[in-house]
Amino acid sequence: MKVLVIGGGAREHALCRSLSLDPDVTALYCAPGNAGIAEVAELHPVDALDGDAVARLATGLGAELVVVGPEAPLVAGVADAVRAASIPCFGPSGEAAQLEGSKAFAKDVMAGAGVPTARSYVCTTPAEIDEALDAFGAPYVVKDDGLAAGKGVVVTDDLAAARDHALSCDRVVIEEFLDGPEVSLFAITDGTTVLPLQPAQDFKRALDGDEGPNTGGMGAYSPLPWADPKLVDEVLESVLQPTVDELRRRGTPFSGLLYAGLAITSRGVRVIEFNARFGDPETQVVLARLRTPLAGVLLASANGTLDVFPSLAWRDDAAVTVVIASHNYPDTPRTGDPIDGLADVAAQDAPDAYVLHAGTRAEGGAVLSAGGRVLSVTATGKDLAAARERAYTALGRIRLDGSQHRTDIALKAAGG
């Protein structure tokens, strides 16, 4: 099978790494990719938001499966254009991707499906914003209705900061605060059958101890030793399957990766948000634990044959990923700095630890930073403590001037 992956972040590097290890994959392409992905896939330039350009590239390469990684191309309808060219595509239609593209749409779907979530108001005027903030009180949860690259959510006790963020959005969802730990659960679906993956936990705040501003994610781990063993079955029954059924009932079937961000509250599981694609950085740890070859299950989703696909197989190992971010992330990150030590990790830590590239580019034989989140250092081990130690040992070999990372990823869960 010839596979084309669209995107250029650490999620796409994780996808490409897994696909490169799949014996059924005979050729692997990525567009536009990054410096790390270039080691496992052939890179091609493309405007990832241009569905026709992606479809032309896929046709020219003879791709037999296209995997659309990021949310913006999905919301822009890139998967529709690929399917219109008669090429199987892993990823929802532009209409179904509104589950992530519009939080108001997602709330409406959840209401129709009877899915438990936070009470909320959709606001478009200052008066509505003030009324909603007053109704819920602190801590305030304010979400930009549209895509915001993981940084459109503000959770704060500061009323002025909450109001400022709300006023900066064209349309905003203000909702009640959900207590309890957060869990990310991915599921692969073909619009009817839903195949849940293993849960992970990510760390959204920039600084240790969950301090600092929200980011796209500073690290993740899997499995969750503290979670109820029945959690996946419960979420499949109360959240994932009803959502997929509701979207199909509405005439907008969802096929691809359905990501549920969950809060395990004192009143039970509640949905914080849905995403329409693999999450970053959770993908890095979930795929590190997946034993089933990846291409076949993605193709079964694209072809509508998940009902006859064998059960997924998982490694017993735990996995931890730690994000190295550039100076000043998540504000205006500094880019163009050289990255050293990547070869040292490959020589001394592989295969138990490896580096997935997020915001990097190659220039004159060097690898330079090219984004806010630059690298995801990922490791596996017999338990979380072992995986965590390997990840941080490998991270210690990497040098990027002014970079930052959290030192407490998976610490509590590993018994630290």
Side-chain angles (χ1 to χ4, degrees):
M1 193 193 316
K2 295 179 177 179
V3 183
L4 169 62
V5 176
I6 302 301
R11 161 189 45 234
E12 288 75 36
H13 194 174
L15 287 164
C16 285
R17 180 182 182 274
S18 290
L19 289 165
S20 74
L21 299 172
D22 186 333
D24 287 337
V25 175
T26 53
L28 181 59
Y29 312 103
C30 187
N34 62 37
I37 295 173
E39 297 176 9
V40 294
E42 182 180 301
L43 302 192
H44 291 267
V46 78
D47 177 355
L49 296 175
D50 185 337
D52 291 338
V54 171
R56 278 195 305 273
L57 176 62
T59 301
L61 293 171
E64 293 152 295
L65 173 66
V66 174
V67 179
V68 182
E71 60 273 26
L74 289 167
V75 172
V78 168
D80 301 278
V82 172
R83 279 192 277 268
S86 301
I87 301 171
C89 186
F90 180 80
S93 67
E95 210 173 344
Q98 285 301 311
L99 199 62
E100 177 169 4
S102 167
K103 292 176 180 63
F105 175 78
K107 287 288 187 184
D108 190 56
V109 170
M110 283 188 264
V115 167
T117 186
R119 291 179 299 120
S120 64
Y121 294 102
V122 179
C123 307
T124 55
T125 68
E128 290 172 346
I129 287 167
D130 290 339
E131 189 180 337
L133 291 171
D134 183 56
F136 290 128
Y140 304 100
V141 182
V142 183
K143 299 180 174 182
D144 190 333
D145 179 57
L147 293 180
K151 298 187 281 290
V153 179
V154 166
V155 181
T156 180
D157 289 320
D158 184 335
L159 176 59
R163 191 170 189 274
D164 286 347
H165 181 62
L167 290 169
S168 73
C169 306
D170 290 334
R171 187 157 78 146
V172 66
V173 175
I174 296 173
E175 62 184 41
E176 68 175 326
F177 177 76
L178 295 174
D179 65 326
E182 294 185 14
V183 173
S184 300
L185 185 61
F186 301 164
I188 292 172
T189 178
D190 57 10
T192 303
T193 302
V194 181
L195 210 56
L197 306 186
Q198 289 292 304
Q201 186 172 56
D202 82 329
F203 295 75
K204 288 288 187 201
R205 299 285 188 170
L207 307 175
D208 284 4
D210 291 327
E211 299 288 334
N214 256 346
T215 72
M218 295 299 290
Y221 68 90
S222 179
L224 313 181
W226 48 268
D228 186 328
K230 297 179 191 150
L231 175 66
V232 173
D233 289 340
E234 181 190 336
V235 174
L236 175 62
E237 188 180 322
S238 66
V239 173
L240 299 170
Q241 191 70 57
T243 299
V244 169
D245 291 345
E246 172 68 11
L247 284 162
R248 190 177 66 254
R249 186 187 69 75
R250 290 174 176 229
T252 54
F254 186 106
S255 74
L257 195 289
L258 178 59
Y259 163 131
L262 309 164
I264 314 300
T265 77
S266 52
R267 293 172 292 145
V269 172
R270 296 288 185 274
V271 175
I272 300 169
E273 64 176 355
F274 282 124
N275 290 337
R277 39 71 195 183
F278 279 102
D280 181 349
E282 300 98 322
T283 301
Q284 288 85 301
V285 292
V286 172
L287 291 186
R289 299 187 58 224
L290 180 65
R291 191 186 294 279
T292 299
L294 184 60
V297 66
L298 301 187
L299 184 64
S301 164
N303 286 339
T305 56
L306 277 178
D307 60 326
V308 294
F309 196 83
S311 298
L312 297 178
W314 296 91
R315 295 184 177 89
D316 292 332
D317 284 1
V320 172
T321 194
V322 184
V323 170
I324 298 177
S326 52
H327 177 70
N328 207 38
Y329 177 77
D331 293 322
T332 308
R334 192 173 80 204
T335 60
D337 289 311
I339 302 165
D340 295 313
L342 297 172
D344 297 337
V345 175
Q348 298 181 58
D349 303 289
D352 298 315
Y354 48 89
V355 180
L356 298 168
H357 291 231
T360 67
R361 61 185 172 87
E363 187 177 291
V367 176
L368 306 181
S369 63
R373 291 185 296 172
V374 182
L375 303 168
S376 287
V377 183
T378 306
T380 55
K382 64 178 174 31
D383 53 29
L384 284 175
R388 194 175 177 280
E389 184 179 348
R390 283 173 174 166
Y392 279 104
T393 297
L395 184 146
R397 305 190 202 282
I398 296 170
R399 296 170 297 285
L400 172 61
D401 187 45
S403 67
Q404 54 177 315
H405 65 272
R406 283 185 58 160
T407 65
D408 62 347
I409 303 300
L411 180 62
K412 228 181 260 184

PDB file of all heavy atoms in Angstrom, residues 341-377:
ATOM      1  N   GLY A 341      22.268  17.289  19.296  1.00  0.00           N
ATOM      2  CA  GLY A 341      22.082  16.127  20.160  1.00  0.00           C
ATOM      3  C   GLY A 341      21.137  15.074  19.624  1.00  0.00           C
ATOM      4  O   GLY A 341      20.972  14.019  20.238  1.00  0.00           O
ATOM      5  N   LEU A 342      20.506  15.328  18.474  1.00  0.00           N
ATOM      6  CA  LEU A 342      19.564  14.341  17.928  1.00  0.00           C
ATOM      7  C   LEU A 342      20.259  13.028  17.589  1.00  0.00           C
ATOM      8  O   LEU A 342      19.711  11.943  17.846  1.00  0.00           O
ATOM      9  CB  LEU A 342      18.868  14.911  16.691  1.00  0.00           C
ATOM     10  CG  LEU A 342      17.985  16.151  16.930  1.00  0.00           C
ATOM     11  CD1 LEU A 342      17.520  16.737  15.604  1.00  0.00           C
ATOM     12  CD2 LEU A 342      16.790  15.787  17.811  1.00  0.00           C
ATOM     13  N   ALA A 343      21.461  13.123  17.030  1.00  0.00           N
ATOM     14  CA  ALA A 343      22.215  11.905  16.686  1.00  0.00           C
ATOM     15  C   ALA A 343      22.609  11.139  17.943  1.00  0.00           C
ATOM     16  O   ALA A 343      22.675   9.897  17.933  1.00  0.00           O
ATOM     17  CB  ALA A 343      23.451  12.271  15.866  1.00  0.00           C
ATOM     18  N   ASP A 344      22.879  11.872  19.047  1.00  0.00           N
ATOM     19  CA  ASP A 344      23.241  11.206  20.306  1.00  0.00           C
ATOM     20  C   ASP A 344      22.082  10.360  20.828  1.00  0.00           C
ATOM     21  O   ASP A 344      22.290   9.239  21.309  1.00  0.00           O
ATOM     22  CB  ASP A 344      23.626  12.254  21.356  1.00  0.00           C
ATOM     23  CG  ASP A 344      24.851  13.058  20.959  1.00  0.00           C
ATOM     24  OD1 ASP A 344      25.648  12.549  20.138  1.00  0.00           O
ATOM     25  OD2 ASP A 344      25.005  14.191  21.440  1.00  0.00           O
ATOM     26  N   VAL A 345      20.864  10.895  20.738  1.00  0.00           N
ATOM     27  CA  VAL A 345      19.692  10.117  21.174  1.00  0.00           C
ATOM     28  C   VAL A 345      19.540   8.864  20.313  1.00  0.00           C
ATOM     29  O   VAL A 345      19.326   7.764  20.824  1.00  0.00           O
ATOM     30  CB  VAL A 345      18.408  10.974  21.107  1.00  0.00           C
ATOM     31  CG1 VAL A 345      17.184  10.129  21.446  1.00  0.00           C
ATOM     32  CG2 VAL A 345      18.506  12.166  22.053  1.00  0.00           C
ATOM     33  N   ALA A 346      19.668   9.026  18.995  1.00  0.00           N
ATOM     34  CA  ALA A 346      19.535   7.885  18.088  1.00  0.00           C
ATOM     35  C   ALA A 346      20.579   6.818  18.377  1.00  0.00           C
ATOM     36  O   ALA A 346      20.305   5.611  18.305  1.00  0.00           O
ATOM     37  CB  ALA A 346      19.649   8.356  16.640  1.00  0.00           C
ATOM     38  N   ALA A 347      21.801   7.248  18.733  1.00  0.00           N
ATOM     39  CA  ALA A 347      22.894   6.303  18.967  1.00  0.00           C
ATOM     40  C   ALA A 347      22.802   5.630  20.334  1.00  0.00           C
ATOM     41  O   ALA A 347      23.139   4.449  20.475  1.00  0.00           O
ATOM     42  CB  ALA A 347      24.237   7.029  18.848  1.00  0.00           C
ATOM     43  N   GLN A 348      22.321   6.372  21.346  1.00  0.00           N
ATOM     44  CA  GLN A 348      22.421   5.861  22.720  1.00  0.00           C
ATOM     45  C   GLN A 348      21.098   5.402  23.330  1.00  0.00           C
ATOM     46  O   GLN A 348      21.105   4.640  24.306  1.00  0.00           O
ATOM     47  CB  GLN A 348      23.030   6.949  23.611  1.00  0.00           C
ATOM     48  CG  GLN A 348      24.445   7.338  23.172  1.00  0.00           C
ATOM     49  CD  GLN A 348      25.058   8.405  24.069  1.00  0.00           C
ATOM     50  OE1 GLN A 348      25.176   8.194  25.275  1.00  0.00           O
ATOM     51  NE2 GLN A 348      25.436   9.538  23.494  1.00  0.00           N
ATOM     52  N   ASP A 349      19.980   5.874  22.814  1.00  0.00           N
ATOM     53  CA  ASP A 349      18.700   5.598  23.486  1.00  0.00           C
ATOM     54  C   ASP A 349      17.730   4.739  22.679  1.00  0.00           C
ATOM     55  O   ASP A 349      16.801   4.169  23.233  1.00  0.00           O
ATOM     56  CB  ASP A 349      18.013   6.920  23.845  1.00  0.00           C
ATOM     57  CG  ASP A 349      18.896   7.793  24.730  1.00  0.00           C
ATOM     58  OD1 ASP A 349      19.084   7.435  25.898  1.00  0.00           O
ATOM     59  OD2 ASP A 349      19.402   8.818  24.233  1.00  0.00           O
ATOM     60  N   ALA A 350      17.911   4.682  21.353  1.00  0.00           N
ATOM     61  CA  ALA A 350      16.998   3.886  20.517  1.00  0.00           C
ATOM     62  C   ALA A 350      17.168   2.396  20.830  1.00  0.00           C
ATOM     63  O   ALA A 350      18.261   1.967  21.207  1.00  0.00           O
ATOM     64  CB  ALA A 350      17.293   4.166  19.047  1.00  0.00           C
ATOM     65  N   PRO A 351      16.125   1.588  20.692  1.00  0.00           N
ATOM     66  CA  PRO A 351      14.784   1.951  20.229  1.00  0.00           C
ATOM     67  C   PRO A 351      13.829   2.343  21.346  1.00  0.00           C
ATOM     68  O   PRO A 351      12.671   2.643  21.078  1.00  0.00           O
ATOM     69  CB  PRO A 351      14.304   0.668  19.552  1.00  0.00           C
ATOM     70  CG  PRO A 351      14.921  -0.429  20.403  1.00  0.00           C
ATOM     71  CD  PRO A 351      16.261   0.118  20.857  1.00  0.00           C
ATOM     72  N   ASP A 352      14.321   2.330  22.613  1.00  0.00           N
ATOM     73  CA  ASP A 352      13.407   2.589  23.733  1.00  0.00           C
ATOM     74  C   ASP A 352      13.019   4.057  23.831  1.00  0.00           C
ATOM     75  O   ASP A 352      11.987   4.390  24.421  1.00  0.00           O
ATOM     76  CB  ASP A 352      14.050   2.141  25.058  1.00  0.00           C
ATOM     77  CG  ASP A 352      14.341   0.646  25.065  1.00  0.00           C
ATOM     78  OD1 ASP A 352      13.460  -0.119  24.639  1.00  0.00           O
ATOM     79  OD2 ASP A 352      15.438   0.253  25.488  1.00  0.00           O
ATOM     80  N   ALA A 353      13.838   4.946  23.303  1.00  0.00           N
ATOM     81  CA  ALA A 353      13.518   6.377  23.292  1.00  0.00           C
ATOM     82  C   ALA A 353      13.883   6.945  21.934  1.00  0.00           C
ATOM     83  O   ALA A 353      14.875   6.531  21.323  1.00  0.00           O
ATOM     84  CB  ALA A 353      14.268   7.111  24.403  1.00  0.00           C
ATOM     85  N   TYR A 354      13.084   7.874  21.467  1.00  0.00           N
ATOM     86  CA  TYR A 354      13.322   8.471  20.149  1.00  0.00           C
ATOM     87  C   TYR A 354      12.709   9.865  20.131  1.00  0.00           C
ATOM     88  O   TYR A 354      11.910  10.224  21.011  1.00  0.00           O
ATOM     89  CB  TYR A 354      12.746   7.598  19.031  1.00  0.00           C
ATOM     90  CG  TYR A 354      11.330   7.124  19.265  1.00  0.00           C
ATOM     91  CD1 TYR A 354      10.236   7.876  18.842  1.00  0.00           C
ATOM     92  CD2 TYR A 354      11.084   5.907  19.922  1.00  0.00           C
ATOM     93  CE1 TYR A 354       8.947   7.451  19.062  1.00  0.00           C
ATOM     94  CE2 TYR A 354       9.782   5.476  20.144  1.00  0.00           C
ATOM     95  CZ  TYR A 354       8.717   6.250  19.717  1.00  0.00           C
ATOM     96  OH  TYR A 354       7.439   5.815  19.941  1.00  0.00           O
ATOM     97  N   VAL A 355      13.073  10.635  19.126  1.00  0.00           N
ATOM     98  CA  VAL A 355      12.626  12.020  19.025  1.00  0.00           C
ATOM     99  C   VAL A 355      11.704  12.173  17.825  1.00  0.00           C
ATOM    100  O   VAL A 355      12.055  11.792  16.702  1.00  0.00           O
ATOM    101  CB  VAL A 355      13.825  12.983  18.880  1.00  0.00           C
ATOM    102  CG1 VAL A 355      13.334  14.432  18.782  1.00  0.00           C
ATOM    103  CG2 VAL A 355      14.777  12.827  20.069  1.00  0.00           C
ATOM    104  N   LEU A 356      10.519  12.721  18.073  1.00  0.00           N
ATOM    105  CA  LEU A 356       9.577  13.044  17.010  1.00  0.00           C
ATOM    106  C   LEU A 356       9.598  14.552  16.790  1.00  0.00           C
ATOM    107  O   LEU A 356       9.506  15.322  17.749  1.00  0.00           O
ATOM    108  CB  LEU A 356       8.169  12.572  17.387  1.00  0.00           C
ATOM    109  CG  LEU A 356       8.035  11.056  17.582  1.00  0.00           C
ATOM    110  CD1 LEU A 356       6.709  10.701  18.228  1.00  0.00           C
ATOM    111  CD2 LEU A 356       8.213  10.315  16.268  1.00  0.00           C
ATOM    112  N   HIS A 357       9.727  14.955  15.543  1.00  0.00           N
ATOM    113  CA  HIS A 357       9.862  16.385  15.228  1.00  0.00           C
ATOM    114  C   HIS A 357       8.484  17.031  15.089  1.00  0.00           C
ATOM    115  O   HIS A 357       7.578  16.461  14.482  1.00  0.00           O
ATOM    116  CB  HIS A 357      10.629  16.566  13.919  1.00  0.00           C
ATOM    117  CG  HIS A 357      12.080  16.183  14.001  1.00  0.00           C
ATOM    118  ND1 HIS A 357      13.098  17.004  13.585  1.00  0.00           N
ATOM    119  CD2 HIS A 357      12.683  15.061  14.473  1.00  0.00           C
ATOM    120  CE1 HIS A 357      14.260  16.405  13.778  1.00  0.00           C
ATOM    121  NE2 HIS A 357      14.036  15.217  14.313  1.00  0.00           N
ATOM    122  N   ALA A 358       8.355  18.236  15.624  1.00  0.00           N
ATOM    123  CA  ALA A 358       7.123  19.016  15.486  1.00  0.00           C
ATOM    124  C   ALA A 358       7.404  20.233  14.621  1.00  0.00           C
ATOM    125  O   ALA A 358       7.094  20.256  13.440  1.00  0.00           O
ATOM    126  CB  ALA A 358       6.592  19.414  16.860  1.00  0.00           C
ATOM    127  N   GLY A 359       8.060  21.248  15.204  1.00  0.00           N
ATOM    128  CA  GLY A 359       8.390  22.449  14.451  1.00  0.00           C
ATOM    129  C   GLY A 359       9.863  22.487  14.130  1.00  0.00           C
ATOM    130  O   GLY A 359      10.653  23.102  14.848  1.00  0.00           O
ATOM    131  N   THR A 360      10.281  21.805  13.052  1.00  0.00           N
ATOM    132  CA  THR A 360      11.695  21.796  12.638  1.00  0.00           C
ATOM    133  C   THR A 360      11.799  21.963  11.125  1.00  0.00           C
ATOM    134  O   THR A 360      10.847  21.688  10.392  1.00  0.00           O
ATOM    135  CB  THR A 360      12.405  20.475  13.011  1.00  0.00           C
ATOM    136  OG1 THR A 360      11.850  19.393  12.227  1.00  0.00           O
ATOM    137  CG2 THR A 360      12.261  20.157  14.482  1.00  0.00           C
ATOM    138  N   ARG A 361      12.978  22.400  10.687  1.00  0.00           N
ATOM    139  CA  ARG A 361      13.287  22.414   9.253  1.00  0.00           C
ATOM    140  C   ARG A 361      14.776  22.143   9.085  1.00  0.00           C
ATOM    141  O   ARG A 361      15.584  22.443   9.978  1.00  0.00           O
ATOM    142  CB  ARG A 361      12.907  23.749   8.613  1.00  0.00           C
ATOM    143  CG  ARG A 361      13.627  24.957   9.157  1.00  0.00           C
ATOM    144  CD  ARG A 361      13.086  26.248   8.545  1.00  0.00           C
ATOM    145  NE  ARG A 361      13.638  27.431   9.198  1.00  0.00           N
ATOM    146  CZ  ARG A 361      14.771  28.020   8.856  1.00  0.00           C
ATOM    147  NH1 ARG A 361      15.492  27.522   7.856  1.00  0.00           N
ATOM    148  NH2 ARG A 361      15.203  29.086   9.500  1.00  0.00           N
ATOM    149  N   ALA A 362      15.111  21.551   7.954  1.00  0.00           N
ATOM    150  CA  ALA A 362      16.506  21.253   7.640  1.00  0.00           C
ATOM    151  C   ALA A 362      17.091  22.402   6.824  1.00  0.00           C
ATOM    152  O   ALA A 362      16.427  22.935   5.934  1.00  0.00           O
ATOM    153  CB  ALA A 362      16.604  19.949   6.864  1.00  0.00           C
ATOM    154  N   GLU A 363      18.320  22.760   7.156  1.00  0.00           N
ATOM    155  CA  GLU A 363      18.990  23.831   6.397  1.00  0.00           C
ATOM    156  C   GLU A 363      20.496  23.602   6.429  1.00  0.00           C
ATOM    157  O   GLU A 363      21.116  23.638   7.497  1.00  0.00           O
ATOM    158  CB  GLU A 363      18.650  25.203   7.000  1.00  0.00           C
ATOM    159  CG  GLU A 363      19.160  26.381   6.170  1.00  0.00           C
ATOM    160  CD  GLU A 363      18.734  27.713   6.765  1.00  0.00           C
ATOM    161  OE1 GLU A 363      17.524  28.032   6.728  1.00  0.00           O
ATOM    162  OE2 GLU A 363      19.619  28.436   7.289  1.00  0.00           O
ATOM    163  N   GLY A 364      21.068  23.348   5.255  1.00  0.00           N
ATOM    164  CA  GLY A 364      22.516  23.191   5.143  1.00  0.00           C
ATOM    165  C   GLY A 364      23.105  22.135   6.047  1.00  0.00           C
ATOM    166  O   GLY A 364      24.165  22.327   6.643  1.00  0.00           O
ATOM    167  N   GLY A 365      22.401  21.022   6.190  1.00  0.00           N
ATOM    168  CA  GLY A 365      22.912  19.939   7.030  1.00  0.00           C
ATOM    169  C   GLY A 365      22.563  20.075   8.499  1.00  0.00           C
ATOM    170  O   GLY A 365      22.812  19.165   9.285  1.00  0.00           O
ATOM    171  N   ALA A 366      21.986  21.216   8.896  1.00  0.00           N
ATOM    172  CA  ALA A 366      21.580  21.424  10.286  1.00  0.00           C
ATOM    173  C   ALA A 366      20.067  21.301  10.411  1.00  0.00           C
ATOM    174  O   ALA A 366      19.330  21.442   9.437  1.00  0.00           O
ATOM    175  CB  ALA A 366      22.032  22.803  10.758  1.00  0.00           C
ATOM    176  N   VAL A 367      19.604  21.012  11.630  1.00  0.00           N
ATOM    177  CA  VAL A 367      18.171  21.025  11.928  1.00  0.00           C
ATOM    178  C   VAL A 367      17.887  22.240  12.789  1.00  0.00           C
ATOM    179  O   VAL A 367      18.534  22.444  13.831  1.00  0.00           O
ATOM    180  CB  VAL A 367      17.734  19.733  12.649  1.00  0.00           C
ATOM    181  CG1 VAL A 367      16.258  19.798  13.029  1.00  0.00           C
ATOM    182  CG2 VAL A 367      17.991  18.513  11.772  1.00  0.00           C
ATOM    183  N   LEU A 368      16.950  23.077  12.358  1.00  0.00           N
ATOM    184  CA  LEU A 368      16.636  24.324  13.058  1.00  0.00           C
ATOM    185  C   LEU A 368      15.210  24.281  13.597  1.00  0.00           C
ATOM    186  O   LEU A 368      14.339  23.599  13.045  1.00  0.00           O
ATOM    187  CB  LEU A 368      16.775  25.521  12.106  1.00  0.00           C
ATOM    188  CG  LEU A 368      18.102  25.694  11.363  1.00  0.00           C
ATOM    189  CD1 LEU A 368      18.054  26.941  10.494  1.00  0.00           C
ATOM    190  CD2 LEU A 368      19.274  25.757  12.344  1.00  0.00           C
ATOM    191  N   SER A 369      14.983  25.033  14.669  1.00  0.00           N
ATOM    192  CA  SER A 369      13.620  25.159  15.195  1.00  0.00           C
ATOM    193  C   SER A 369      12.783  25.980  14.229  1.00  0.00           C
ATOM    194  O   SER A 369      13.272  26.927  13.619  1.00  0.00           O
ATOM    195  CB  SER A 369      13.641  25.810  16.578  1.00  0.00           C
ATOM    196  OG  SER A 369      14.159  27.123  16.511  1.00  0.00           O
ATOM    197  N   ALA A 370      11.507  25.598  14.093  1.00  0.00           N
ATOM    198  CA  ALA A 370      10.644  26.283  13.123  1.00  0.00           C
ATOM    199  C   ALA A 370       9.217  26.419  13.647  1.00  0.00           C
ATOM    200  O   ALA A 370       8.276  26.536  12.869  1.00  0.00           O
ATOM    201  CB  ALA A 370      10.642  25.528  11.800  1.00  0.00           C
ATOM    202  N   GLY A 371       9.055  26.396  14.964  1.00  0.00           N
ATOM    203  CA  GLY A 371       7.713  26.511  15.525  1.00  0.00           C
ATOM    204  C   GLY A 371       7.762  26.633  17.022  1.00  0.00           C
ATOM    205  O   GLY A 371       8.847  26.698  17.620  1.00  0.00           O
ATOM    206  N   GLY A 372       6.585  26.669  17.643  1.00  0.00           N
ATOM    207  CA  GLY A 372       6.504  26.794  19.099  1.00  0.00           C
ATOM    208  C   GLY A 372       6.874  25.511  19.803  1.00  0.00           C
ATOM    209  O   GLY A 372       7.776  25.464  20.639  1.00  0.00           O
ATOM    210  N   ARG A 373       6.156  24.428  19.477  1.00  0.00           N
ATOM    211  CA  ARG A 373       6.540  23.111  19.981  1.00  0.00           C
ATOM    212  C   ARG A 373       7.492  22.509  18.955  1.00  0.00           C
ATOM    213  O   ARG A 373       7.135  22.352  17.787  1.00  0.00           O
ATOM    214  CB  ARG A 373       5.305  22.237  20.192  1.00  0.00           C
ATOM    215  CG  ARG A 373       4.453  22.736  21.353  1.00  0.00           C
ATOM    216  CD  ARG A 373       3.297  21.817  21.652  1.00  0.00           C
ATOM    217  NE  ARG A 373       2.351  21.747  20.546  1.00  0.00           N
ATOM    218  CZ  ARG A 373       1.336  20.888  20.493  1.00  0.00           C
ATOM    219  NH1 ARG A 373       1.164  20.018  21.449  1.00  0.00           N
ATOM    220  NH2 ARG A 373       0.508  20.888  19.466  1.00  0.00           N
ATOM    221  N   VAL A 374       8.692  22.182  19.378  1.00  0.00           N
ATOM    222  CA  VAL A 374       9.761  21.829  18.440  1.00  0.00           C
ATOM    223  C   VAL A 374       9.952  20.321  18.334  1.00  0.00           C
ATOM    224  O   VAL A 374      10.051  19.777  17.232  1.00  0.00           O
ATOM    225  CB  VAL A 374      11.082  22.514  18.851  1.00  0.00           C
ATOM    226  CG1 VAL A 374      12.192  22.192  17.862  1.00  0.00           C
ATOM    227  CG2 VAL A 374      10.886  24.030  18.946  1.00  0.00           C
ATOM    228  N   LEU A 375      10.013  19.625  19.463  1.00  0.00           N
ATOM    229  CA  LEU A 375      10.284  18.186  19.473  1.00  0.00           C
ATOM    230  C   LEU A 375       9.405  17.502  20.516  1.00  0.00           C
ATOM    231  O   LEU A 375       9.025  18.119  21.523  1.00  0.00           O
ATOM    232  CB  LEU A 375      11.754  17.915  19.821  1.00  0.00           C
ATOM    233  CG  LEU A 375      12.828  18.560  18.939  1.00  0.00           C
ATOM    234  CD1 LEU A 375      14.201  18.423  19.601  1.00  0.00           C
ATOM    235  CD2 LEU A 375      12.839  17.920  17.549  1.00  0.00           C
ATOM    236  N   SER A 376       9.112  16.224  20.289  1.00  0.00           N
ATOM    237  CA  SER A 376       8.473  15.372  21.300  1.00  0.00           C
ATOM    238  C   SER A 376       9.418  14.209  21.581  1.00  0.00           C
ATOM    239  O   SER A 376       9.611  13.348  20.721  1.00  0.00           O
ATOM    240  CB  SER A 376       7.140  14.826  20.797  1.00  0.00           C
ATOM    241  OG  SER A 376       6.149  15.808  20.756  1.00  0.00           O
ATOM    242  N   VAL A 377      10.011  14.198  22.765  1.00  0.00           N
ATOM    243  CA  VAL A 377      10.911  13.109  23.144  1.00  0.00           C
ATOM    244  C   VAL A 377      10.050  12.002  23.750  1.00  0.00           C
ATOM    245  O   VAL A 377       9.388  12.201  24.771  1.00  0.00           O
ATOM    246  CB  VAL A 377      11.982  13.586  24.130  1.00  0.00           C
ATOM    247  CG1 VAL A 377      12.942  12.448  24.451  1.00  0.00           C
ATOM    248  CG2 VAL A 377      12.743  14.782  23.555  1.00  0.00           C
TER     249      VAL A 377
END
